[in-house]
Amino acid sequence: MHQEFLRKQIGLRIRSGCHLKLLGDSLTIGVGSSDDSRVGPLLCPSTDLPYRQQTGRRCWASLLQTHLVRYGCTVENLGCSGITSADLLAHLDALYQPAPDTIVFCMIGSNDKKLSHGMEHLQHNLSALCARMQSDHTPLVLMTPNPATPANDAKPNRIYPQSAVVQTIRSVAEHYADQVLLIDHALAMDAECRLRGCSLEEFLQVGIGPDNDGLHPGDRGHYFYFEHICVALGL
């Protein structure tokens, strides 16, 4: 009941025109999309974050930005490749400032799985993010990332599988279910693969481009993210 209410309220706010801040890692900034080009202005010039804005148009964030112009919305993609949930919290004040017309979307955790006790840290940091957004009266949408292929999960620096990241995000979202909306991309992407009768490797377009390594999706996966957000929010 609470999730459906939040879904309608957030969709209504977007259709009325607002500002969206997208927080996350490489899956947010657009790695894997065919025109990925992170050569725009520095995201946060006043900090030590050496990340630049995405100028490509085929990642899900850029597709969303183009689509939401019709509602008078602005979309700010603040994804930073390689960051963990702890990095996000450490730089949160530079990436986000509370404002009446702002909605925050966050998809983070795919780098926490490389850390000892990474899922404990992810749970703690996401909970702190939810509490901060609640305190600021800022609507928050938590999103699960796409699944990873078995080959990606088996890489030597992976302490946890991608499924553990997804489950941790779901757990935090469930705890804050009356205040935080969950958009579960992982669940929807698994269902889409079954519907299409294709493997995850095929769906993610593994092998197309140097960054499509079984985790970072190609254009099909990025379009799926975009489309799933729009469907979830009635946009």
Side-chain angles (χ1 to χ4, degrees):
M1 181 66 71
H2 286 296
Q3 288 289 286
E4 190 58 33
F5 174 77
L6 289 171
R7 191 184 313 277
K8 290 180 179 178
Q9 289 299 108
I10 290 173
L12 178 61
R13 183 174 290 202
I14 291 174
R15 289 192 297 276
S16 299
C18 65
H19 183 59
L20 281 66
K21 281 184 177 282
L22 312 181
L23 305 181
D25 49 34
S26 57
L27 292 173
T28 296
I29 195 61
V31 173
S33 55
S34 61
D35 65 348
D36 173 24
S37 180
R38 287 156 279 158
V39 297
L42 285 168
L43 288 172
C44 299
S46 62
T47 72
D48 61 349
L49 290 172
Y51 304 105
R52 293 187 174 274
Q53 295 173 21
Q54 174 68 256
T55 61
R57 308 312 304 162
R58 294 179 179 174
C59 69
W60 68 265
S62 294
L63 292 169
L64 190 64
Q65 181 179 27
T66 300
H67 181 68
L68 295 187
V69 166
R70 69 186 66 188
Y71 301 117
C73 293
T74 55
V75 177
E76 191 175 5
N77 184 355
L78 299 171
C80 302
S81 295
I83 69 167
T84 65
S85 60
D87 297 325
L88 176 62
L89 276 188
H91 293 92
L92 187 60
D93 287 338
L95 295 166
Y96 153 83
Q97 303 79 38
D101 67 340
T102 294
I103 299 174
V104 171
F105 286 66
C106 182
M107 185 166 66
I108 194 80
S110 293
N111 293 305
D112 290 69
K113 67 185 180 183
K114 305 171 187 177
L115 305 175
S116 179
H117 306 293
M119 294 305 99
E120 294 175 30
H121 295 310
L122 179 59
Q123 180 108 16
H124 175 270
N125 294 330
L126 283 179
S127 297
L129 178 67
C130 291
R132 169 69 183 275
M133 296 299 120
Q134 183 182 358
S135 175
D136 291 341
H137 304 289
T138 298
L140 173 63
V141 180
L142 283 184
M143 303 194 297
T144 60
N146 57 266
T149 65
N152 187 278
D153 274 341
K155 288 188 174 185
N157 65 344
R158 270 51 166 175
I159 297 175
Y160 300 90
Q162 185 78 340
S163 59
V165 174
V166 169
Q167 191 52 48
T168 301
I169 296 170
R170 288 172 179 164
S171 176
V172 173
E174 183 177 2
H175 183 77
Y176 287 91
D178 57 340
Q179 296 121 8
V180 172
L181 179 65
L182 174 68
I183 295 183
D184 198 337
H185 294 300
L187 182 67
M189 195 170 289
D190 278 336
E192 185 70 11
C193 287
R194 290 194 298 271
L195 181 65
R196 291 172 179 254
C198 67
S199 68
L200 183 63
E201 287 87 349
E202 292 170 327
F203 190 81
L204 292 178
Q205 298 176 315
V206 174
I208 300 177
D211 291 313
N212 287 300
D213 56 359
L215 175 65
H216 299 96
D219 289 347
R220 178 191 290 172
H222 277 281
Y223 192 86
F224 183 87
Y225 272 127
F226 156 68
E227 189 173 50
H228 189 226
I229 291 169
C230 291
V231 170
L233 297 175
L235 304 172

